[in-house]
Amino acid sequence: MDFRQKVVYQIYPKSFQDSDGDGIGDMKGVISRLDYLQKLGIDVIWFNPMTLSPQKDNGYDVTDYRAFDPRYGTMEDFELLVKEAKKRNIDIMFDMVFNHTSTTHAWFQKALQGDAKYMNYYIFKEGKAPCIAPNNWESKFGGPAWEYVPSLDKWYLHLFDVSQADLNWANPEVRKECADIVNFWISKGVHGFRFDVINEINKWSFEDDPDNFDGRQFYTDGPKEQEYLRYLNENSFGKDPDHITVGEMSSTTIEKCAGYAGRNSHELDMVFSFHHLKVDYKDGKKWELQPADFMKLKELLLSWQTGMQEKDAWNAVFWNCHDQPRSISRFGDDTKYRKESAKMLAAAIHFLRGTPYVFEGEEIGMTNAGFTSIDQYRDVESTNIYQILKEEGKDEKEILHILNQRSRDNARTPMQWDDSENAGFTTGTPWIEVNRNYKDINVRKDLSDPDSIFAFYQKLIHFRHTMPIIAYGTIRPLLEKDEKVFAYEREYEDHKLAVFCNFFVEETDIQFNTEGYELLIGNYADAEVKDTMHLRPYETLVLYK
Ligand code: TEU
């Protein structure tokens, strides 16, 4: 099977399964749940970083790329994990955080001591004037993107937290270090790689940003990006065509991504893009709320589908990850129609042209965290923005309401396995609170219900493995003007698939020539295939001929 027929499951290791009672998930915990993942049918597990880290940003702040953080286990645990996963035909994908390291990394520590070799691993610049940063760029986690180091009388760049210093990809030694790290993990049995914010590595100019202050136009999709990706490909994963790679692309374009993930690009297999997950950002601002703009959502999803298809390039398709609120709370209904909307959202994604990614808990319809106090939050971005909004004079209640909708912690609450204490995640105190709805929403419950969300995902994954049209068919939008229904058609040899998804609680009718079609799957028991079809709340119908 190639990557187009596979389904990736994302594990946020901190929140998946704890085995030793310290309240933090670990590799032994994952091993104990491999049978569950095999039952679901997934092919690859993508792990968020488990390497040594002070955990300011939950592992995206790496201290040592080649050693596990003891919280997650040892190299022996990992070897066992690879072996046990392999037995179940599951590959391992690792997260490579190559845009930055933690400031605790030995390279940065040497740089701080003035070691010229290692200062050149990072981006140190003179200030514009005493106490004035080199430019006006802003960190994605709030505040300026530069930090002053008095002993060097220089500033270093950090696009994320102040403890995450950006690496200097213009330095060939840095590129080589990164390729060596990938090769190290390949030698340990890792078969796939996700590259964190990889389209931000080429900082091509350091001028002030005249438009908006964050500076992204000078470091996103830079002119050397493809050269750097090709270097990585040629010197590491590209040596074996079986390795699966995905790049996380921030604020990017279809044109750029078609280049990175074109079939013959010799760069990456596929890309994550996020435009469709910003349709509920007011004026494009993450911390300002508005209801999701459904027409924009449709337009974005489908233009990426057809745009990448035209250029023979490949998307990763997904609603959820560790950085996004739960899709069901966002685009569905997480109470009355939880089951229906979870299945509808799943169908919308899984029949697309692209490799689907399932984020832990999505397959049982886990919802947003429902936190009501800032003390419940753990995410550095959330706690930073809380302070910033407070300083701007926003009301506490309003800030908590925003976090409740937007915080990354919505995705990071522990996996809900059963209705025992802490949802079966840990016997200790979980590092982040378990969602209070775990008695209603948990794996055990879903496994005992043949009509569960889990059972629906199982079917979708099975279809992708067995129906070439899903992996290889072309895609064409349907009902583009419809204001309630997201729809598209796939075609392969003599076969066709038509997917209809009502994104609303309001019922609606659609017209479609159903001659020769039969129902492949739906989320209501008694669906009928007719030229005029009535879609109930969050109903999805997938037709095949
Ligand atoms: O995220 C990159 C990124 O820019 C966003 O997804 C970000 O988390 C969010 O939009 C901020 O508003 C990646 C990782 O997925 C994320 O967990 C890390 O925190 C980040 O890079 C830094 O490594």
Side-chain angles (χ1 to χ4, degrees):
M1 272 201 311
D2 76 22
F3 61 87
R4 290 172 294 178
Q5 276 182 289
K6 292 187 176 174
V7 176
V8 183
Y9 186 88
Q10 181 188 353
I11 287 187
Y12 199 65
K14 222 172 195 171
S15 300
F16 193 65
Q17 178 67 63
D18 180 20
S19 74
D20 58 5
D22 67 356
I24 295 175
D26 48 46
M27 289 190 263
K28 285 200 174 115
V30 173
I31 296 170
S32 72
R33 297 296 186 180
L34 286 172
D35 286 340
Y36 167 75
L37 296 175
Q38 185 181 25
K39 183 174 261 179
L40 180 59
I42 54 99
D43 306 284
V44 181
I45 303 172
W46 153 29
F47 285 96
N48 295 96
M50 295 193 283
T51 40
L52 197 67
S53 158
Q55 304 289 328
K56 272 283 281 180
D57 189 18
N58 286 347
Y60 285 93
D61 44 337
V62 178
T63 308
D64 184 341
Y65 288 100
R66 291 180 175 82
F68 283 109
D69 194 301
R71 291 171 180 91
Y72 298 118
T74 61
M75 197 55 89
E76 287 70 48
D77 295 339
F78 180 67
E79 279 157 13
L80 185 63
L81 172 62
V82 173
K83 210 170 111 200
E84 289 298 317
K86 214 181 169 72
K87 272 193 205 159
R88 296 165 177 85
N89 273 320
I90 296 174
D91 279 331
I92 306 290
M93 175 186 276
F94 263 16
D95 208 321
M96 299 284 107
V97 188
F98 286 163
N99 177 68
H100 45 265
T101 72
S102 165
T103 50
T104 59
H105 195 290
W107 300 337
F108 194 80
Q109 289 300 312
K110 287 183 194 154
L112 280 186
Q113 281 151 22
D115 182 328
K117 172 178 160 85
Y118 290 101
M119 281 180 73
N120 194 30
Y121 272 40
Y122 295 90
I123 300 175
F124 281 95
K125 298 266 176 218
E126 312 258 326
K128 269 191 197 156
C131 302
I132 310 278
N135 65 33
N136 65 358
W137 298 1
E138 281 183 359
S139 149
K140 290 168 192 286
F141 289 165
W146 297 93
E147 181 72 7
Y148 182 60
V149 181
S151 59
L152 300 171
D153 191 23
K154 283 198 165 48
W155 301 68
Y156 70 86
L157 179 69
H158 63 91
L159 295 183
F160 292 88
D161 189 59
V162 59
S163 66
Q164 293 165 297
D166 280 58
L167 284 165
N168 176 20
W169 274 71
N171 177 355
E173 287 176 89
V174 166
R175 305 201 288 268
K176 169 139 193 337
E177 295 272 13
C178 290
D180 289 349
I181 292 162
V182 173
N183 287 325
F184 172 80
W185 287 112
I186 289 174
S187 77
K188 295 286 176 193
V190 175
H191 229 81
F193 296 93
R194 178 248 188 203
F195 295 99
D196 191 54
V197 289
I198 198 68
N199 67 330
E200 295 182 349
I201 54 179
N202 174 211
K203 282 86 179 166
W204 54 275
S205 167
F206 290 92
E207 63 207 87
D208 271 338
D209 188 332
D211 302 335
N212 49 31
F213 282 169
D214 72 5
R216 72 181 62 185
Q217 59 177 304
F218 300 114
Y219 60 75
T220 307
D221 293 323
K224 293 217 156 132
E225 179 70 28
Q226 292 193 269
E227 180 188 319
Y228 294 164
L229 288 175
R230 248 171 251 156
Y231 171 86
L232 265 187
N233 179 310
E234 275 163 28
N235 291 284
S236 60
F237 56 83
K239 293 178 195 158
D240 176 349
D242 273 354
H243 291 137
I244 302 189
T245 53
V246 54
E248 187 203 25
M249 303 297 169
S250 166
S251 305
T252 188
T253 62
I254 298 174
E255 288 63 39
K256 290 288 179 183
C257 287
Y260 307 147
R263 193 201 296 270
N264 297 313
S265 69
H266 301 292
E267 292 169 37
L268 300 171
D269 289 328
M270 59 188 130
V271 289
F272 286 118
S273 67
F274 294 88
H275 300 273
H276 66 295
L277 297 177
K278 296 185 177 171
V279 296
D280 50 6
Y281 289 11
K282 193 168 167 206
D283 305 321
K285 296 193 181 108
K286 175 163 180 171
W287 306 106
E288 292 186 22
L289 307 180
Q290 72 166 27
D293 179 340
F294 176 64
M295 294 312 275
K296 208 162 146 190
L297 177 70
K298 267 175 79 156
E299 198 276 315
L300 282 165
L301 279 174
L302 292 167
S303 61
W304 273 81
Q305 286 285 303
T306 52
M308 293 290 272
Q309 165 170 272
E310 272 161 33
K311 304 210 159 71
D312 201 9
W314 200 248
N315 285 300
V317 291
F318 69 107
W319 289 121
N320 293 287
C321 72
H322 64 294
D323 291 334
Q324 299 291 329
R326 293 278 177 181
S327 61
I328 189 174
S329 302
R330 197 172 180 185
F331 302 114
D333 173 341
D334 60 7
T335 52
K336 188 165 176 205
Y337 293 106
R338 189 181 66 88
K339 222 166 146 175
E340 290 80 0
S341 62
K343 292 178 182 176
M344 181 281 286
L345 289 168
I349 284 291
H350 280 252
F351 292 99
L352 287 175
R353 181 182 173 278
T355 298
Y357 284 65
V358 179
F359 178 65
E360 61 177 43
E362 176 185 332
E363 76 280 14
I364 55 163
M366 277 177 62
T367 66
N368 274 352
F371 290 161
T372 52
S373 152
I374 190 63
D375 302 331
Q376 292 171 290
Y377 288 94
R378 298 287 174 270
D379 169 30
V380 58
E381 182 191 40
S382 304
T383 51
N384 283 356
I385 201 69
Y386 173 83
Q387 285 307 337
I388 292 170
L389 295 178
K390 272 233 122 147
E391 279 153 29
E392 284 173 8
K394 262 215 166 74
D395 170 63
E396 168 94 8
K397 233 174 125 186
E398 197 184 333
I399 304 176
L400 288 174
H401 176 63
I402 296 173
L403 287 178
N404 192 274
Q405 307 283 307
R406 288 291 147 81
S407 168
R408 306 193 295 181
D409 280 342
N410 283 307
R412 299 177 180 183
T413 59
M415 182 70 182
Q416 294 164 210
W417 295 104
D418 55 43
D419 62 5
S420 69
E421 206 186 345
N422 297 321
F425 163 68
T426 180
T427 54
T429 307
W431 71 278
I432 188 169
E433 277 176 41
V434 174
N435 192 314
R436 279 186 309 189
N437 61 22
Y438 73 91
K439 289 197 194 276
D440 289 325
I441 304 174
N442 61 61
V443 166
R444 181 171 296 160
K445 217 169 158 182
D446 262 38
L447 290 181
S448 65
D449 170 10
D451 186 41
S452 66
I453 301 170
F454 178 90
F456 194 85
Y457 270 84
Q458 261 183 325
K459 287 184 194 138
L460 297 181
I461 295 168
H462 178 71
F463 289 147
R464 178 159 293 260
H465 291 160
T466 52
M467 297 175 66
I469 187 170
I470 301 173
Y472 305 111
T474 55
I475 186 158
R476 190 170 71 87
L478 292 176
L479 311 180
E480 274 170 289
K481 300 239 151 57
D482 193 297
E483 290 178 6
K484 291 208 166 58
V485 180
F486 173 67
Y488 54 88
E489 183 176 66
R490 305 288 311 273
E491 188 169 354
Y492 183 71
E493 295 174 348
D494 309 333
H495 296 284
K496 277 189 173 187
L497 253 178
V499 180
F500 301 98
C501 302
N502 178 9
F503 267 69
F504 294 87
V505 70
E506 292 86 35
E507 310 202 354
T508 186
D509 285 331
I510 50 166
Q511 315 291 332
F512 183 71
N513 178 0
T514 55
E515 201 187 317
Y517 279 97
E518 55 193 59
L519 183 69
L520 180 68
I521 193 168
N523 58 349
Y524 281 81
D526 49 352
E528 274 183 78
V529 180
K530 304 181 288 197
D531 288 1
T532 299
M533 283 178 289
H534 185 69
L535 297 184
R536 289 159 284 184
Y538 301 101
E539 182 157 7
T540 182
L541 288 174
V542 182
L543 313 184
Y544 181 59
K545 77 168 172 187

